[in-house]
Amino acid sequence: MSDASPPAAHPPVTDWVHDFDHTDPQWTEDPFPIWDELRAASPVVHTERFLGCYMPTTYEAVREIANDTEHFSSRRIIVRDVRPEIARNAAPPITSDPPVHKPAKQLLLPPFTPDAMKKLEPRMRAICNELIDGFIADGKVDAAARYAKYIPVRAIAHMLGIPESDSDLFINWIHMILELGIKDESKLLQAVQEMSAYFSAHIEARKDKPTDDLISYLMNAKDKEGNPLEDSHVLGSLRLLLIAGIDTTWSAIGSSLWHLAKTPGDRERLIAEPGLIPTAVEELLRAYSPVTMAREVVKETTISGCPVKAGNMVLLSFPAANRDPKMFPDADKVVIDRRENRHAAFGLGIHRCVGSNLARMEMQVALEEWLKRIPDFRLDPAGAVTWSQGTVRGPRQLPFLLGKAM
Amino acid sequence: MTERLRVHVDPDKCQGHARCKALAPELFELDEYGNAHEAGDGTVPPGLEDKAWLAKSNCPEIAIDVIEE
């Protein structure tokens, strides 16, 4: 067990190109001009913060790194102030490299195919409507805290077979791991321990009484040799599914509603042409991609002509890649009927998000059900929109007024 | 002779984003892991040419070829 370091305040950034910091309040609030500045300077930039970290700024550089598992390891996937010890079976397959990655990934894929998601869709529509029932009469709502947040948390609880009523517990762990844990290792360790204890109890209960859910699915899964998975592997994958499936989609739904609240033209078009919603979801995923991953450089190489040295982390910003004007015409605009859209919101290469089909279904259903019942809404000028910091970006407070403006 | 199109998914490049299946369900199929392959021999029936190009231009892994025969 490593010593937990106390939380450290970061000095404000004055030179983004040579000293970037993705936890800086300016980045949290409005990262897009920063990414443009970095991209104009170099396809790969570096900061001494976080014990040394690169960031690819172009779509091409991001693709090169995502496809290069020889020089870039996934053993550490979050850029933090510290480098916590590498745990075996931390969260396979997201923390796995070849050759162990593929079998671990293949285990998780069948429950998340588009066909599997279709079966979940009726439950998702019901969840969305239950949530809307809870606030529609109030005339105002925090759409992040009372809608976007609970859609993915209830969906993944439903799939895992754990109580949807434990949602707030899961949300707190995720906040400790992905936000507070960047600067305070003790929060990270505490959350991981609590999650492991929680899932261990659910695993124990299923040893006597197997259930028809993802926990039992993983407990019954066999590796290539036909042996059951180690307990630590099952636990690691369960931690991954819970962490990865929640604030990511919460952020994507929140950002989408934020965009629609301030863009009545797009909102009216989607109400008139609901068939366009899947295309719009892809564009909202591109423009407001929530997830930034990381890699650790394990062998010196060059990326887009820039040398990168072992021992540094890499902030693998799919969101910045998706704003690269060389790849996307009008990259800084939301074009809700964009036809060609090779966005990388779910990553590129072997670590493509295992839950991408789930996330897409949740986003489509969340927007469809919201627009059916709440066609008119706008940002509440009396409130403030706040954004999460660090690895996953999305609105955490999203105050709306519902109904037509007087 | 009219030009015929054929689609092909490179299985080594496909990572299962499933964009092709969403945009051109007639032309692609998914396996149990959600990875894509072309339906049948990949021949694009008349009228579905646009969908073939759309699938190609939305594949994040550049795994889809549209072959003009």
Side-chain angles (χ1 to χ4, degrees), chain A residues 172-192:
Chain A
N172 189 43
W173 289 331
I174 287 160
H175 181 59
M176 288 166 76
I177 291 173
L178 294 182
E179 293 199 73
L180 304 179
I182 291 179
K183 296 174 186 173
D184 185 349
E185 200 184 351
S186 67
K187 293 276 192 296
L188 167 72
L189 297 171
Q190 183 195 335
V192 170

Side-chain angles (χ1 to χ4, degrees), chain A residues 10 18 54 59 72 92 94 117 122 125 192 207 299 340:
Chain A
H10 289 194
H18 302 96
Y54 296 99
Y59 187 95
F72 300 94
I94 203 172
M117 295 307 103
R125 288 195 192 278
V192 170
K207 283 183 179 164
K299 217 191 276 183
E340 295 190 10

Side-chain angles (χ1 to χ4, degrees), chain A residues 250-260 284 288 387 393-395 398:
Chain A
W250 164 15
S251 297
I253 294 169
S255 296
S256 301
L257 289 171
W258 172 76
H259 172 80
L260 294 175
L284 292 162
Y288 302 111
W387 299 83
R393 183 175 189 272
L398 194 54

Side-chain angles (χ1 to χ4, degrees), chain A residues 63 339 341-342 349 352 360, chain B residues 15-16 56 58-61:
Chain A
R63 181 194 290 287
R339 273 176 64 83
N341 198 344
R342 287 193 162 111
R352 188 269 301 171
R360 285 182 158 115
Chain B
Q15 298 292 347
K56 176 185 164 82
N58 280 277
C59 175
E61 307 292 348

Side-chain angles (χ1 to χ4, degrees), chain A residues 85-104:
Chain A
E85 276 176 58
I86 296 162
R88 220 170 70 80
N89 284 331
I94 203 172
T95 50
S96 314
D97 292 318
V100 297
H101 168 270
K102 191 171 181 177

Side-chain angles (χ1 to χ4, degrees), chain A residues 6-12 21 23-25 49-50 81 182-184 389:
Chain A
H10 289 194
D21 186 332
T23 67
D24 190 271
R49 298 179 189 223
F50 311 103
D81 281 356
I182 291 179
K183 296 174 186 173
D184 185 349
Q389 186 191 65

Side-chain angles (χ1 to χ4, degrees), chain A residues 59 63 67 106 109-110 113-114 282 339-343 347-350 352 356-357 360, chain B residues 15-19 21 23 30-35 50 54 56-62:
Chain A
Y59 187 95
R63 181 194 290 287
N67 283 332
Q106 283 190 329
L109 287 170
T113 60
E282 298 304 319
R339 273 176 64 83
E340 295 190 10
N341 198 344
R342 287 193 162 111
H343 72 75
L348 296 168
I350 62 168
R352 188 269 301 171
S356 62
N357 299 309
R360 285 182 158 115
Chain B
Q15 298 292 347
H17 294 261
R19 300 294 300 128
K21 181 69 181 170
L23 293 165
L30 302 180
D31 66 15
E32 63 172 310
Y33 301 111
N35 292 325
D50 276 1
L54 194 62
K56 176 185 164 82
S57 62
N58 280 277
C59 175
E61 307 292 348
I62 320 178

